[in-house]
Amino acid sequence: MSRRVAAAIVERLKTVAGIRVDPKNQQFLTFRLDRRLQALGLDSYEAYLEVLESPSGEAETARLVESLVTHTTSFFREPAHFDWMEKTGLPTLNEAGAGRLHPLTVWSAACSTGPELWSAGMVLDRFSQTITGGLRWGMVGSDISAGVLRRAAGAIFTATELAGVNEERKRQYFLRSRPGVAIANGQRLYRVAPELRNRASFAQGNLLQELPDIPLADIIFLRNVLIYFAPDDRQACLNNVTARLRQGGYLILGHSDSHHGLPPGMTACGPSIFRKG
Ligand SMILES: C[S@@+](CC[C@H](N)C(=O)[O-])C[C@H]1O[C@@H](n2cnc3c(N)ncnc32)[C@H](O)[C@@H]1O
């Protein structure tokens, strides 16, 4: 691949999704690109760049982004955040009126296939049961990738994917496929129970753009996505995301995400947790 073509593709990925790929890391790029070339029946990277730059290039760019980003996730990943949510975050928000005056809303931004969102849902439901009359609450999951969002909304997981969920939660919050019925790779499947599914909505969205369709949230999980962005995109993402956070609400970053670029008025108050105002 010529340097010009590599640089043009990399630039397009950065503009559209904020994804950083070192043009010198050709091995990584060509491996992923070759699959796209094969799928489209093209025989050169130049021809592929032409497709990307054509009027219908948007859909292909989305497919390329999809093939380059990492969707790694798991239930109760970075468990300190869910402990904090249960013991500190939810009681503090509820005392201030969230769940009574307005629905307490959790947004899993960059939710991938959904385990982060459903983990938060289990904690929320359990907390709601401790409140007389229950809480009003809901959840939103968003991601740039339509493919993972479909999986998140489908809410079906294998036993291996549920490794981080304890037995009690599995019994309470999952429906298990009957023996021999729905099986994936020899494993029975689990589906999130309707009590949680009915509380969730999903929206495709690029965090580098404003997200007016996302409701104001009380807790936002923005974990393990900032690491892929260049500093200017990280800043744009943090501005867009915190614009959807209520005053007094909490932003939760991944343990390895840098918080540089957080807008003023966000105060550290827990492990990679920041409060607005
Ligand atoms: C590593 S996963 C993190 C999943 C989850 N937050 C967690 O920590 O387990 C990163 C997700 O970010 C999404 N993503 C990457 N760039 C994005 C962007 N510009 N806007 C929205 N989502 C993006 C990817 O599609 C992927 O599903």
Side-chain angles (χ1 to χ4, degrees):
M1 186 179 351
S2 73
R3 256 200 239 155
R4 180 190 71 81
V5 171
I9 293 176
V10 165
E11 183 53 35
R12 192 164 176 90
L13 287 166
K14 183 177 179 309
T15 312
V16 174
I19 290 161
R20 273 184 302 178
V21 181
D22 186 344
K24 286 187 224 113
N25 193 353
Q26 287 229 354
Q27 215 183 358
F28 172 74
L29 200 56
T30 49
F31 178 67
R32 306 298 169 112
L33 283 175
D34 285 350
R35 286 202 206 152
R36 293 307 311 147
L37 259 68
Q38 219 176 2
L40 296 173
L42 299 173
D43 59 5
S44 75
Y45 299 116
E46 282 75 9
Y48 185 69
L49 180 59
E50 271 173 35
V51 172
L52 290 181
E53 289 174 342
S54 72
S56 58
E58 215 172 287
E60 181 52 34
T61 307
R63 272 183 217 109
L64 180 59
V65 167
E66 186 120 343
S67 73
L68 286 165
V69 296
T70 306
H71 299 300
T72 307
T73 186
S74 53
F75 281 89
F76 294 97
R77 182 181 195 181
E78 302 180 7
H81 290 154
F82 297 97
D83 290 343
W84 169 89
M85 194 178 152
E86 182 190 341
K87 297 192 180 104
T88 310
L90 294 179
T92 311
L93 285 165
N94 184 237
E95 249 174 56
R100 283 182 289 117
L101 307 180
H102 64 265
L104 196 160
T105 303
V106 171
W107 174 25
S108 171
C111 68
S112 185
T113 53
E116 180 177 87
L117 174 100
W118 299 121
S119 301
M122 290 182 244
V123 175
L124 265 158
D125 184 72
R126 184 64 58 88
F127 179 74
S128 175
Q129 288 172 26
T130 67
I131 305 291
T132 315
L135 276 189
R136 291 163 64 206
W137 66 273
M139 302 183 287
V140 187
S142 75
D143 202 283
I144 197 169
S145 155
V148 294
L149 266 186
R150 268 195 299 279
R151 284 210 52 206
I156 295 174
F157 300 94
T158 62
T160 307
E161 288 170 319
L162 254 58
V165 182
N166 66 32
E167 284 306 318
E168 191 196 343
R169 281 183 170 136
K170 261 188 223 166
R171 269 197 305 277
Q172 189 171 356
Y173 295 113
F174 289 87
L175 310 170
R176 199 158 69 136
S177 64
R178 272 177 277 132
V181 181
I183 289 200
N185 303 325
Q187 295 187 54
R188 279 161 78 173
L189 296 175
Y190 291 77
R191 185 160 200 212
V192 175
E195 299 94 276
L196 298 190
R197 274 189 279 133
N198 293 340
R199 302 270 184 181
S201 60
F202 295 88
Q204 191 177 359
N206 183 348
L207 298 171
L208 301 185
Q209 294 163 2
E210 287 180 26
L211 296 146
D213 298 337
I214 300 290
L216 282 181
D218 297 281
I219 298 181
I220 301 176
F221 284 84
L222 179 68
R223 306 189 308 165
N224 305 301
V225 61
L226 289 171
I227 39 169
Y228 301 111
F229 298 157
D232 54 334
D233 288 328
R234 191 166 57 218
Q235 173 111 48
C237 173
L238 285 166
N239 288 342
N240 293 333
V241 168
T242 52
R244 307 313 302 155
L245 185 62
R246 282 185 186 275
Q247 283 297 328
Y250 298 100
L251 175 71
I252 306 182
L253 303 182
H255 292 326
S256 33
D257 293 318
S258 158
H259 62 268
H260 289 295
L262 263 182
M266 299 292 299
T267 327
C269 64
S272 330
I273 303 172
F274 301 85
R275 187 167 185 269
K276 183 171 181 174

